[in-house]
PDB file of all heavy atoms in Angstrom:
ATOM      1  N   GLU A 127      26.747 208.150  42.310  1.00 98.00           N
ATOM      2  CA  GLU A 127      25.880 207.434  43.245  1.00 98.00           C
ATOM      3  C   GLU A 127      26.732 206.735  44.287  1.00 98.00           C
ATOM      4  O   GLU A 127      27.715 206.064  43.958  1.00 98.00           O
ATOM      5  CB  GLU A 127      25.021 206.404  42.511  1.00 98.00           C
ATOM      6  CG  GLU A 127      23.859 207.058  41.801  1.00 98.00           C
ATOM      7  CD  GLU A 127      22.896 206.030  41.242  1.00 98.00           C
ATOM      8  OE1 GLU A 127      23.303 205.315  40.303  1.00 98.00           O
ATOM      9  OE2 GLU A 127      21.768 205.948  41.749  1.00 98.00           O
ATOM     10  N   ALA A 128      26.343 206.886  45.560  1.00 98.00           N
ATOM     11  CA  ALA A 128      27.048 206.206  46.658  1.00 98.00           C
ATOM     12  C   ALA A 128      26.124 206.171  47.855  1.00 98.00           C
ATOM     13  O   ALA A 128      25.477 207.173  48.184  1.00 98.00           O
ATOM     14  CB  ALA A 128      28.338 206.946  47.018  1.00 98.00           C
ATOM     15  N   GLY A 129      26.023 205.001  48.499  1.00 97.00           N
ATOM     16  CA  GLY A 129      25.244 204.876  49.728  1.00 97.00           C
ATOM     17  C   GLY A 129      23.754 205.126  49.529  1.00 97.00           C
ATOM     18  O   GLY A 129      23.089 205.620  50.452  1.00 97.00           O
ATOM     19  N   GLY A 130      23.222 204.804  48.362  1.00 97.00           N
ATOM     20  CA  GLY A 130      21.785 205.025  48.137  1.00 97.00           C
ATOM     21  C   GLY A 130      21.430 206.478  47.908  1.00 97.00           C
ATOM     22  O   GLY A 130      20.265 206.867  47.985  1.00 97.00           O
ATOM     23  N   VAL A 131      22.420 207.303  47.608  1.00 98.00           N
ATOM     24  CA  VAL A 131      22.202 208.740  47.390  1.00 98.00           C
ATOM     25  C   VAL A 131      22.783 209.123  46.029  1.00 98.00           C
ATOM     26  O   VAL A 131      23.855 208.629  45.634  1.00 98.00           O
ATOM     27  CB  VAL A 131      22.898 209.562  48.505  1.00 98.00           C
ATOM     28  CG1 VAL A 131      22.855 211.053  48.198  1.00 98.00           C
ATOM     29  CG2 VAL A 131      22.252 209.272  49.864  1.00 98.00           C
ATOM     30  N   LEU A 132      22.067 209.991  45.305  1.00 98.00           N
ATOM     31  CA  LEU A 132      22.598 210.583  44.074  1.00 98.00           C
ATOM     32  C   LEU A 132      23.220 211.924  44.461  1.00 98.00           C
ATOM     33  O   LEU A 132      22.530 212.814  44.956  1.00 98.00           O
ATOM     34  CB  LEU A 132      21.481 210.791  43.049  1.00 98.00           C
ATOM     35  CG  LEU A 132      21.954 211.324  41.696  1.00 98.00           C
ATOM     36  CD1 LEU A 132      22.637 210.214  40.889  1.00 98.00           C
ATOM     37  CD2 LEU A 132      20.792 211.911  40.899  1.00 98.00           C
ATOM     38  N   TRP A 133      24.527 212.042  44.273  1.00 98.00           N
ATOM     39  CA  TRP A 133      25.275 213.235  44.664  1.00 98.00           C
ATOM     40  C   TRP A 133      25.549 214.096  43.441  1.00 98.00           C
ATOM     41  O   TRP A 133      25.672 213.585  42.324  1.00 98.00           O
ATOM     42  CB  TRP A 133      26.620 212.847  45.279  1.00 98.00           C
ATOM     43  CG  TRP A 133      26.552 211.926  46.453  1.00 98.00           C
ATOM     44  CD1 TRP A 133      26.274 210.584  46.432  1.00 98.00           C
ATOM     45  CD2 TRP A 133      26.751 212.263  47.833  1.00 98.00           C
ATOM     46  NE1 TRP A 133      26.300 210.076  47.719  1.00 98.00           N
ATOM     47  CE2 TRP A 133      26.594 211.085  48.590  1.00 98.00           C
ATOM     48  CE3 TRP A 133      27.063 213.453  48.504  1.00 98.00           C
ATOM     49  CZ2 TRP A 133      26.735 211.062  49.978  1.00 98.00           C
ATOM     50  CZ3 TRP A 133      27.210 213.430  49.878  1.00 98.00           C
ATOM     51  CH2 TRP A 133      27.038 212.245  50.601  1.00 98.00           C
ATOM     52  N   THR A 134      25.694 215.379  43.670  1.00 98.00           N
ATOM     53  CA  THR A 134      26.043 216.259  42.564  1.00 98.00           C
ATOM     54  C   THR A 134      27.018 217.329  43.026  1.00 98.00           C
ATOM     55  O   THR A 134      27.142 217.616  44.222  1.00 98.00           O
ATOM     56  CB  THR A 134      24.787 216.908  41.942  1.00 98.00           C
ATOM     57  OG1 THR A 134      25.160 217.572  40.730  1.00 98.00           O
ATOM     58  CG2 THR A 134      24.147 217.923  42.892  1.00 98.00           C
ATOM     59  N   TYR A 135      27.692 217.914  42.032  1.00 98.00           N
ATOM     60  CA  TYR A 135      28.586 219.049  42.283  1.00 98.00           C
ATOM     61  C   TYR A 135      28.125 220.186  41.377  1.00 98.00           C
ATOM     62  O   TYR A 135      28.092 220.030  40.144  1.00 98.00           O
ATOM     63  CB  TYR A 135      30.038 218.652  41.985  1.00 98.00           C
ATOM     64  CG  TYR A 135      30.961 219.843  42.022  1.00 98.00           C
ATOM     65  CD1 TYR A 135      31.255 220.475  43.234  1.00 98.00           C
ATOM     66  CD2 TYR A 135      31.518 220.383  40.856  1.00 98.00           C
ATOM     67  CE1 TYR A 135      32.067 221.592  43.278  1.00 98.00           C
ATOM     68  CE2 TYR A 135      32.345 221.493  40.896  1.00 98.00           C
ATOM     69  CZ  TYR A 135      32.611 222.090  42.109  1.00 98.00           C
ATOM     70  OH  TYR A 135      33.408 223.211  42.154  1.00 98.00           O
ATOM     71  N   MET A 136      27.757 221.311  41.974  1.00 98.00           N
ATOM     72  CA  MET A 136      27.137 222.405  41.217  1.00 98.00           C
ATOM     73  C   MET A 136      28.059 223.622  41.068  1.00 98.00           C
ATOM     74  O   MET A 136      27.620 224.687  40.672  1.00 98.00           O
ATOM     75  CB  MET A 136      25.832 222.830  41.911  1.00 98.00           C
ATOM     76  CG  MET A 136      24.793 221.708  41.951  1.00 98.00           C
ATOM     77  SD  MET A 136      23.396 222.091  43.033  1.00 98.00           S
ATOM     78  CE  MET A 136      22.574 223.405  42.138  1.00 98.00           C
ATOM     79  N   GLY A 137      29.340 223.450  41.405  1.00 98.00           N
ATOM     80  CA  GLY A 137      30.248 224.590  41.350  1.00 98.00           C
ATOM     81  C   GLY A 137      31.053 224.621  40.063  1.00 98.00           C
ATOM     82  O   GLY A 137      30.832 223.825  39.152  1.00 98.00           O
ATOM     83  N   PRO A 138      32.013 225.547  40.013  1.00 97.00           N
ATOM     84  CA  PRO A 138      32.873 225.636  38.824  1.00 97.00           C
ATOM     85  C   PRO A 138      33.630 224.330  38.620  1.00 97.00           C
ATOM     86  O   PRO A 138      34.193 223.772  39.561  1.00 97.00           O
ATOM     87  CB  PRO A 138      33.845 226.775  39.183  1.00 97.00           C
ATOM     88  CG  PRO A 138      33.205 227.520  40.307  1.00 97.00           C
ATOM     89  CD  PRO A 138      32.348 226.546  41.036  1.00 97.00           C
ATOM     90  N   ARG A 139      33.648 223.866  37.360  1.00 95.00           N
ATOM     91  CA  ARG A 139      34.268 222.555  37.087  1.00 95.00           C
ATOM     92  C   ARG A 139      35.744 222.530  37.515  1.00 95.00           C
ATOM     93  O   ARG A 139      36.237 221.515  38.013  1.00 95.00           O
ATOM     94  CB  ARG A 139      34.160 222.209  35.595  1.00 95.00           C
ATOM     95  CG  ARG A 139      32.722 222.126  35.079  1.00 95.00           C
ATOM     96  CD  ARG A 139      32.142 220.731  35.186  1.00 95.00           C
ATOM     97  NE  ARG A 139      30.676 220.794  35.104  1.00 95.00           N
ATOM     98  CZ  ARG A 139      29.932 220.157  34.211  1.00 95.00           C
ATOM     99  NH1 ARG A 139      30.498 219.414  33.293  1.00 95.00           N
ATOM    100  NH2 ARG A 139      28.619 220.249  34.241  1.00 95.00           N
ATOM    101  N   GLU A 140      36.440 223.649  37.345  1.00 96.00           N
ATOM    102  CA  GLU A 140      37.872 223.662  37.654  1.00 96.00           C
ATOM    103  C   GLU A 140      38.142 223.637  39.159  1.00 96.00           C
ATOM    104  O   GLU A 140      39.278 223.428  39.588  1.00 96.00           O
ATOM    105  CB  GLU A 140      38.551 224.874  36.998  1.00 96.00           C
ATOM    106  CG  GLU A 140      38.193 226.237  37.569  1.00 96.00           C
ATOM    107  CD  GLU A 140      36.863 226.799  37.045  1.00 96.00           C
ATOM    108  OE1 GLU A 140      36.127 226.053  36.372  1.00 96.00           O
ATOM    109  OE2 GLU A 140      36.565 227.980  37.324  1.00 96.00           O
ATOM    110  N   LEU A 141      37.121 223.838  39.973  1.00 97.00           N
ATOM    111  CA  LEU A 141      37.306 223.848  41.428  1.00 97.00           C
ATOM    112  C   LEU A 141      36.668 222.629  42.102  1.00 97.00           C
ATOM    113  O   LEU A 141      36.488 222.606  43.320  1.00 97.00           O
ATOM    114  CB  LEU A 141      36.709 225.138  42.023  1.00 97.00           C
ATOM    115  CG  LEU A 141      37.391 226.442  41.600  1.00 97.00           C
ATOM    116  CD1 LEU A 141      36.616 227.650  42.124  1.00 97.00           C
ATOM    117  CD2 LEU A 141      38.832 226.476  42.098  1.00 97.00           C
TER     118      LEU A 141
END
Side-chain angles (χ1 to χ4, degrees):
E127 282 188 292
V131 172
L132 184 75
W133 304 74
T134 190
Y135 171 70
M136 297 169 69
R139 300 269 162 123
E140 69 279 9
L141 295 174

